[in-house]
Amino acid sequence: VEVSNTIFKMVNIRMATVQDLIEMQQCNLWCLPENYQMKYYFYHQLTWPQLLWVAEDFDGRIVGYVLAKMEENDDQTAPDYVPHGHITSLAVLRTHRKRGIATMLMRRAQLEMEQVMGAKYVSLHVRKSNRAAFHLYSETLAYEINDIERGYYADGEDAYDMRCTFEKHREREAAENAAAAAVAEVTEGVGTLVTA
């Protein structure tokens, strides 16, 4: 049996700076077919600096990022206006996937959206064919399909318009934590019976 000598180094999740934008764009070009001009990254950085986060490896190289914003197109003076954010882009280099980096980036951006910007929910678009991303959003991060946008992407592929309502997400986490605590309590009791 051969054992891999691969050593998994730590990854630092931190708020992005202007100096990170070129590496964020490079990560985007490596990972995604949807690409943005540098002025779009600058616009996000200048307007919503709290919503741009990067994953940096032990060498200081950007291996993932989340580019997020607050939605501006709604009439903010309307009585039914609900402040909400949007995930513009999320990418993690293939060499660093399956380590929870995308989850950490998303959770950090969502926390800032809710606590700093006062968002009630966050939305995003994901290709219907991107099963890995859909699983991350629906199973890990509790997003739900809001709609299907036909021909959303430049190549004509449809997108799921997904949303995560922060209050509902907190309720789900509380229920999961309560269930885990109940299981731990039962398991502890079983251990006591076995040793008695």
Side-chain angles (χ1 to χ4, degrees):
V1 176
E2 188 175 294
V3 179
S4 172
N5 288 332
T6 303
I7 299 173
F8 293 106
K9 306 279 186 180
M10 297 296 288
V11 172
N12 180 37
I13 305 295
R14 63 171 175 78
M15 193 179 295
T17 66
V18 171
Q19 290 79 15
D20 297 320
L21 297 181
I22 290 174
E23 281 192 82
M24 290 171 67
Q25 187 183 43
Q26 287 174 339
C27 185
N28 171 269
L29 291 169
W30 276 102
C31 298
L32 300 171
E34 297 77 43
N35 308 127
Y36 309 102
Q37 294 182 6
M38 183 53 68
K39 65 181 179 182
Y40 195 61
Y41 291 91
F42 274 117
Y43 177 66
H44 275 71
Q45 177 66 40
L46 292 171
T47 311
W48 307 283
Q50 306 91 331
L51 303 183
L52 278 69
W53 290 82
V54 294
E56 175 183 67
D57 73 3
F58 63 97
D59 285 331
R61 183 175 64 125
I62 302 301
V63 297
Y65 73 88
V66 62
L67 186 67
K69 65 179 185 172
M70 292 298 291
E71 286 291 4
E72 300 177 305
N73 7 1
D74 298 334
D75 180 7
Q76 296 179 9
T77 61
D80 61 343
Y81 171 73
V82 177
H84 59 282
H86 183 78
I87 302 297
T88 303
S89 182
L90 171 70
V92 175
L93 293 178
R94 196 171 296 278
T95 55
H96 287 73
R97 292 182 186 167
K98 302 290 185 189
R99 299 185 194 180
I101 294 170
T103 301
M104 290 186 286
L105 288 166
M106 288 288 290
R107 286 193 172 142
R108 191 60 214 213
Q110 290 175 179
L111 180 71
E112 297 293 325
M113 271 181 206
E114 182 181 21
Q115 293 186 354
V116 176
M117 306 298 216
K120 301 299 180 198
Y121 70 89
V122 58
S123 63
L124 58 80
H125 293 98
V126 62
R127 286 178 175 272
K128 285 182 74 175
S129 64
N130 191 341
R131 292 175 44 197
F134 182 80
H135 183 270
L136 168 70
Y137 300 136
S138 62
E139 299 299 321
T140 306
L141 296 170
Y143 279 70
E144 296 174 347
I145 296 172
N146 179 59
D147 198 3
I148 295 175
E149 296 202 23
R150 305 278 178 217
Y152 178 81
Y153 291 100
D155 62 4
E157 185 174 348
D158 297 345
Y160 289 121
D161 169 11
M162 301 185 78
R163 290 186 182 181
C164 177
T165 304
F166 295 129
E167 185 174 338
K168 187 189 277 188
H169 183 69
R170 274 194 308 281
E171 290 170 1
R172 176 183 164 182
E173 282 185 338
E176 287 173 357
N177 290 341
V183 168
E185 188 175 316
V186 168
T187 305
E188 184 179 311
V190 169
T192 304
L193 290 174
V194 171
T195 58

